[in-house]
Amino acid sequence: MKEAFGGTFTLKLLMVFFVVYVTFLGVALNIAKAYRIKNGVINILEQQQFDINDASRTNDVNDIIYAYLYKIPYKVSSETISDDCKAAAKEAGDSAKYQSDNGVCIIQYPGNYYKVTVYMYAEFPFLHISVKLPISGETMSMVK
């Protein structure tokens, strides 16, 4: 009887460690995807010489970003991050402009450079935990 209990306990312990390992691996892959998205958006902004004040160019760049995010796929809606983006823009200063389209927050800072923030959501339904992780980076200074 002792061997049956020990074998069952070992199997259950192994299953718990396997679930923890797979969960950790899934979260790590999602974080890597968020960093790849952030870097891709920054590259698009720098290559297109993005200017948040030029409405016609902004729409063209937003279309390019949307096409890029459609290929990834990145499924964070703008409604869920708009409050965070607005709060980050207020921290940047009163003159900072921002936009939060396609789940990507772009904030213009003085000196004509932009901060790009994307979000990664990790949900653990069996523990009823949801974590929102902002990942951000900055562009080089844009020349007008």
Side-chain angles (χ1 to χ4, degrees):
M1 192 68 167
K2 286 184 179 180
E3 291 89 18
F5 177 73
T8 304
F9 178 74
T10 304
L11 184 62
K12 288 181 181 179
L13 186 65
L14 183 66
M15 289 171 54
V16 167
F17 281 120
F18 182 72
V19 167
V20 169
Y21 175 74
V22 169
T23 303
F24 178 74
L25 188 64
V27 169
L29 288 174
N30 277 331
I31 289 173
K33 183 174 89 169
Y35 273 101
R36 185 178 74 173
I37 291 168
K38 177 205 46 115
N39 291 335
V41 171
I42 287 174
N43 287 339
I44 290 170
L45 294 178
E46 289 176 348
Q47 289 171 357
Q48 300 295 323
Q49 291 295 307
F50 180 73
D51 185 8
I52 204 165
N53 299 318
D54 186 2
S56 63
R57 294 262 309 142
T58 301
N59 290 335
D60 294 341
V61 173
N62 285 339
D63 291 341
I64 295 170
I65 291 172
Y66 179 77
Y68 173 73
L69 294 176
Y70 183 75
K71 288 189 273 187
I72 299 288
Y74 179 63
K75 302 286 190 229
V76 176
S77 68
S78 296
E79 291 82 28
T80 55
I81 67 162
S82 64
D83 293 336
D84 293 340
C85 190
K86 194 180 297 184
K90 279 190 178 182
E91 288 178 13
D94 294 332
S95 62
K97 295 183 180 178
Y98 72 96
Q99 71 177 39
S100 61
D101 291 331
N102 305 321
V104 176
C105 177
I106 302 171
I107 302 171
Q108 181 185 25
Y109 280 82
N112 206 25
Y113 70 96
Y114 297 92
K115 181 177 181 181
V116 175
T117 305
V118 296
Y119 294 87
M120 195 270 321
Y121 286 95
E123 294 183 20
F124 306 102
F126 49 90
L127 298 174
H128 305 292
I129 296 174
S130 179
V131 178
K132 179 171 54 173
L133 179 66
I135 297 172
S136 61
E138 297 175 352
T139 65
M140 295 186 314
S141 185
M142 305 281 182
V143 179
K144 286 187 178 182

